[in-house]
Amino acid sequence: MAKLKVPSAQHLARNWQETPAKVQRELVSLARNPPTFSYQILFGFVRDMLLLGVPKEQIEFAIRTKVKRETVRGYYLELLPLIAEHFLDESPKYVMSVDRRYYAAGRGLMVPFDPPIIYGGTSGLIFPWFSFWKSNPLSGDRLSLFVTMVKEILAEDPDLEAADFQILDFSAPKGSGERQLEIIHASDVPLLSDARKTEMLEIFAEGYFAAAEELRTTPDEIVEQDAPGDPDQQGLFD
């Protein structure tokens, strides 16, 4: 039986739909056809770059020799040059992990939030959030929902509240096919009003619990997968 996991804050925002029924259909489909790998390993490479000064060439060698699946290896190698270029001139005073936090998304749904790293740069504390989707990155109300949620989480911690929250968007512009890095400063993203935020979260929560009930009470559908999954779905609930 397919089981529905609680989505991360980012994936809640990306899988938000206009109605609970649409949320339900989206989550049931994802639960029955789950992603087959995640980009989590790349966060370790970023830490190695920042903390230990490991060069891009060494990381590329590690990917080519240790990542067995060709398609997954290709996804990592596609992203590595953009990551390395972004952090090339960074000389952080320190690099830290951040403990998991939770966000109350309504109806008892507690959404996990796991910042990959924070680091002390020349301009102060920097909190980079990595968005590795190649297509359909967060935008509009979905982006505003994510940023609103994260800012509320950060505001609960005096050590993080003043951090420069940056979204590193590694998507490919429509029609180009090639990834580019766009740095979105959260301070430039419009926040949702309390009413709109509550409305969106209630829609998602209702759809989530309906999806969980559907999966609990109906047989699994057999889904054939000849490929390692859509790279835009990877690590959905990491």
Side-chain angles (χ1 to χ4, degrees):
M1 181 179 69
K3 186 177 180 181
L4 187 61
K5 297 179 181 179
V6 177
S8 67
Q10 184 182 22
H11 293 95
L12 182 158
R14 195 185 195 227
N15 290 290
W16 182 87
Q17 304 290 335
E18 295 86 355
T19 67
K22 289 182 178 180
V23 172
Q24 178 182 351
R25 287 196 295 270
E26 180 81 3
L27 295 181
V28 168
S29 175
L30 288 170
R32 287 176 170 160
N33 184 18
T36 57
F37 82 98
S38 85
Y39 291 111
Q40 192 69 27
I41 190 173
L42 292 177
F43 298 141
F45 293 146
V46 171
R47 291 189 186 95
D48 289 345
M49 285 181 185
L50 290 174
L51 190 60
L52 304 176
V54 177
K56 183 189 76 170
E57 292 75 17
Q58 186 173 336
I59 292 174
E60 180 178 345
F61 178 79
I63 292 174
R64 292 188 182 280
T65 56
K66 295 182 179 180
V67 179
K68 302 304 181 184
R69 289 167 57 187
E70 182 179 358
T71 49
V72 177
R73 188 165 62 246
Y75 298 147
Y76 293 165
L77 292 175
E78 183 181 38
L79 287 160
L80 179 60
L82 294 173
I83 295 172
E85 183 179 359
H86 175 68
F87 290 107
L88 181 62
D89 296 325
E90 293 287 347
S91 298
K93 301 174 183 177
Y94 56 86
V95 180
M96 298 172 53
S97 298
V98 180
D99 293 337
R100 170 175 286 188
R101 270 86 166 155
Y102 289 90
Y103 185 89
R107 294 188 57 186
L109 180 62
M110 300 299 293
V111 174
F113 176 67
D114 292 295
I117 59 169
I118 59 172
Y119 64 94
T122 56
S123 60
L125 185 63
I126 298 175
F127 165 37
W129 184 270
F130 298 80
S131 178
F132 289 132
W133 291 307
K134 189 169 185 177
S135 61
N136 300 318
L138 290 176
S139 61
D141 271 5
R142 290 183 175 89
L143 177 60
S144 289
L145 176 60
F146 175 62
V147 171
T148 300
M149 294 168 65
V150 172
K151 284 198 168 185
E152 289 183 8
I153 295 171
L154 297 179
E156 296 176 357
D157 189 329
D159 293 331
L160 298 179
E161 186 176 11
D164 181 5
F165 172 24
Q166 305 173 359
I167 299 172
L168 309 185
D169 178 0
F170 291 90
S171 62
K174 289 184 179 180
S176 74
E178 292 189 9
R179 293 179 183 269
Q180 298 178 16
L181 172 57
E182 179 185 3
I183 303 173
I184 302 171
H185 292 273
S187 57
D188 296 331
V189 177
L191 299 179
L192 297 178
S193 67
D194 285 342
R196 178 59 173 159
K197 178 195 70 178
T198 299
E199 176 190 25
M200 292 181 72
L201 291 176
E202 287 178 349
I203 287 172
F204 186 89
E206 184 176 342
Y208 171 85
F209 287 110
E213 180 63 14
E214 178 180 344
L215 291 167
R216 187 185 70 81
T217 58
T218 58
D220 288 349
E221 297 176 359
I222 298 176
V223 179
E224 295 184 0
Q225 283 189 311
D226 296 325
D230 179 356
D232 280 341
Q233 293 184 5
Q234 307 314 326
L236 178 61
F237 299 118
D238 285 353

